Amino acid sequence: MIIDLLYLVAAVCFILALKGLSSPESASSGNFIGIAGMIFACLAAYLSTDLSNVVLTLLAVCIGGSIGVCIARSLSMTALPQMVAGFHSLVGLAAVLVAFSAYYAPEVFKIVGEFGRIYKSSLIEMGLGVAIGAITFSGSLIAFAKLHEIYKGTNVPKELNAFLGSSILCLLIYFVLTDSQCAFWLLTFLSFVLGATLIAPIGGADMPVVVSMLNSYSGWAASGIGFTLHNDLLIITGALVGSSGAILSYIMCKGMNRSLFNVIFPSGQDDFSAEKGAATVRPYQKGSAEDAAFILKNAKSVIVVPGYGMATSQAQHALKEMGDLLKRNGTIVRYAIHPVAGRMPGHMNVLLAEANVPYEDVFELDEINRDFATCDVAYVIGANDVTNPAAKNDPSSSIYGMPIFEVDKAKTVLFLKRSMGTGYAGVDNELFYAQNTMMLLGDAKKTTEAIVKAL
Ligand code: NAP
């Protein structure tokens, strides 16, 4: 009774946590509700099991907890997507291990029927759990390596993935019908391979969608474990994670004007061996912090477009200070956030909230894009791909189709970055060379601080 109640409270906490995390204002309380839910869940799981392994259980909690704390404390915020991918891989691996435990010790899981045979429904759960878990595990590891830039990617023939996918489906059916040990192992092996071959060819600019998709897979894998362990909370939590990850993938695809199918099965062949970073050198206008301060002082309306570079340089506090100074001068200052700006969903919102930028000054792509045409200054701070007109004008570009901020329509564009190099997608940006663009080369934080001083 107590255990059921604890599970119920935990499930409600998780739902409320998701609700809280949907807005920057309530994200912090949402996070705490989630932590409380997890404590209730652990407590219930602990009370519902055989208490003979107290020492081992506590030891596992201590080791796991300490590793988690160390990773979280040592990680920079820009490396969060990698961390998320790394943690997803563990959920996938857990699903595989639980499925194997259940297969080799079915009596412990109470899934044996007449003549010592495992129930068909349990075979389905195990087969699905092992397949989704293995795909999540190897896919997440590849995503981690790509996001951490230790692996660039490889083109994989679509036919190979189609072959692996259909083989896995056939093996799954065969396994459920025959309970064949050989099919179970082969199913696991091919799923590990498919996870890697699915993610390896996906282009850099699509990695945010991949991370969120793997998040969804890991949720379904956890749900699968829940069925095997007869744990309702795990089923509910897995379904919450699975569906929220799927919805987020959909929202991001919409933000990049891509279909999920097109992201998972890229149509073109990418040149993964190409080095990115060095854009073609052409004449451009270079400015100083004093020039920028002069332009900003005379502007009636400024739209700030933050990107990954603002995060790496931690320029958000200096930016807020600059915004406040301009506002005091009577300038309208707004912040425009692209759905895939930075390196994870909500990256820019979190940083601006940390610097106490008022929520009412922060706008999404659809809300503000047409206002660039009437604004005096677009202050592009460490953003690049999300402003790149190639997404609109060049069908051969890897970012073609992604909606962008039309910053070129502003009277003046101030571009803060360290060099003339490209952004995440490795595509040169025509805007750097435009008549109305002034390049402010240097670290975004230092440049913004210099502008504040000049103002
Ligand atoms: P971006 O296209 O990667 O451009 C960031 C720019 O910041 C770079 O061109 C870099 O130029 C500059 N920069 C880096 N460090 C800097 C510093 N200390 N000071 C000043 N500038 C600095 O970033 P974005 O416009 O935000 O676009 C995001 C990209 O990441 C998209 O392609 C998106 O698909 C991808 N992505 C997004 C997510 C997500 O979930 N949001 C996840 C993974 C990938 P310099 O090197 O010349 O300084």
Side-chain angles (χ1 to χ4, degrees):
M1 174 66 185
I2 294 246
I3 291 169
D4 288 341
L5 197 67
L6 280 173
Y7 273 144
L8 184 68
V9 174
V12 173
C13 282
F14 290 150
I15 294 169
L16 292 177
L18 272 188
K19 172 93 187 76
L21 289 169
S22 62
S23 137
E25 282 156 300
S26 54
S28 181
S29 53
N31 215 358
F32 281 112
I33 297 174
I35 293 172
M38 191 51 92
I39 292 173
F40 289 129
C42 289
L43 205 64
Y46 187 62
L47 290 176
S48 63
T49 47
D50 168 16
L51 291 181
S52 59
N53 278 332
V54 178
V55 179
L56 269 186
T57 314
L58 287 180
L59 197 67
V61 169
C62 288
I63 296 175
S66 318
I67 295 175
V69 169
C70 288
I71 294 178
R73 289 185 77 90
S74 64
L75 205 80
S76 69
M77 185 134 169
T78 46
L80 265 187
Q82 289 90 304
M83 189 203 73
V84 173
F87 284 167
H88 288 162
S89 74
L90 296 181
V91 182
L93 188 62
V96 174
L97 294 178
V98 169
F100 266 78
S101 313
Y103 187 64
Y104 284 104
E107 55 300 333
V108 178
F109 290 79
K110 302 187 186 75
I111 50 172
V112 230
E114 274 179 55
F115 312 113
R117 290 213 178 113
I118 301 178
Y119 297 127
K120 284 275 176 255
S121 59
S122 300
L123 287 178
I124 298 175
E125 290 155 24
M126 264 181 240
L128 280 174
V130 95
I132 302 176
I135 291 172
T136 309
F137 175 72
S138 52
S140 301
L141 286 187
I142 298 287
F144 173 88
K146 286 183 110 176
L147 286 165
H148 214 56
E149 295 180 2
I150 43 182
Y151 169 64
K152 282 203 175 93
T154 328
N155 286 313
V156 175
K158 266 193 216 144
E159 296 74 18
L160 176 66
N161 283 338
F163 170 74
L164 286 170
S166 36
S167 307
I168 287 172
L169 198 66
C170 294
L171 278 167
L172 186 64
I173 297 169
Y174 183 72
F175 168 66
V176 173
L177 292 178
T178 62
D179 188 5
S180 151
Q181 193 177 152
C182 181
F184 189 57
W185 277 89
L186 200 56
L187 174 68
T188 313
F189 174 72
L190 290 189
S191 303
F192 276 131
V193 177
L194 181 65
T197 55
L198 260 185
I199 307 302
I202 297 179
D206 288 335
M207 282 321 275
V209 184
V210 171
V211 171
S212 137
M213 207 180 67
L214 289 168
N215 177 32
S216 173
Y217 288 175
S218 71
W220 299 123
S223 218
I225 306 177
F227 278 106
T228 313
L229 296 177
H230 304 291
N231 185 318
D232 293 342
L233 180 67
L234 210 48
I235 299 173
I236 297 174
T237 316
L240 283 175
V241 175
S243 46
S244 55
I247 293 170
L248 188 60
S249 307
Y250 169 76
I251 292 174
M252 279 199 282
C253 280
K254 226 173 127 221
M256 291 159 58
N257 198 21
R258 307 277 306 275
S259 75
L260 197 55
F261 184 84
N262 184 256
V263 169
I264 304 171
F265 304 106
S267 48
Q269 298 274 304
D270 270 352
D271 183 4
F272 288 109
S273 58
E275 283 297 327
K276 67 171 185 182
T280 11
V281 181
R282 284 152 49 189
Y284 63 92
Q285 290 185 63
K286 198 171 163 185
S288 65
E290 287 71 26
D291 299 332
F294 180 78
I295 293 169
L296 286 165
K297 216 171 178 175
N298 291 303
K300 286 198 173 59
S301 151
V302 173
I303 301 181
V304 177
V305 179
Y308 173 67
M310 180 189 81
T312 48
S313 68
Q314 288 291 298
Q316 62 273 23
H317 297 283
L319 186 65
K320 164 77 165 53
E321 209 181 330
M322 186 190 89
D324 287 348
L325 275 178
L326 291 175
K327 275 182 173 179
R328 250 177 265 150
N329 191 36
T331 312
I332 299 168
V333 181
R334 286 171 294 170
Y335 299 78
I337 300 196
H338 193 280
V340 295
R343 289 293 180 270
M344 60 185 167
H347 199 170
M348 297 298 118
N349 303 71
V350 173
L351 292 175
L352 293 183
E354 182 197 308
N356 291 322
V357 169
Y359 300 125
E360 60 271 18
D361 291 350
V362 178
F363 296 87
E364 289 182 9
L365 181 80
D366 295 344
E367 296 171 321
I368 203 162
N369 217 4
R370 70 175 76 90
D371 294 359
F372 282 103
T374 51
C375 90
D376 295 314
V377 177
Y379 190 83
V380 185
I381 172 163
N384 190 345
D385 292 347
V386 298
T387 65
N388 195 333
K392 247 182 13 186
N393 309 330
D394 180 4
S396 67
S397 169
S398 64
I399 55 170
Y400 185 68
M402 176 169 103
I404 49 150
F405 283 125
E406 300 187 332
V407 292
D408 55 322
K409 296 204 170 140
K411 267 194 206 124
T412 307
V413 186
L414 298 177
F415 244 108
L416 280 81
K417 65 200 297 293
R418 295 163 309 176
S419 69
M420 298 301 283
T422 57
Y424 188 80
V427 182
D428 198 3
N429 193 339
E430 279 297 315
L431 275 184
F432 301 163
Y433 315 100
Q435 288 280 327
N436 58 339
T437 297
M438 179 185 278
M439 298 301 295
L440 300 166
L441 298 184
D443 178 75
K445 184 178 171 189
K446 287 197 182 126
T447 309
T448 307
E449 281 172 348
I451 293 174
V452 168
K453 208 167 156 206
L455 277 172

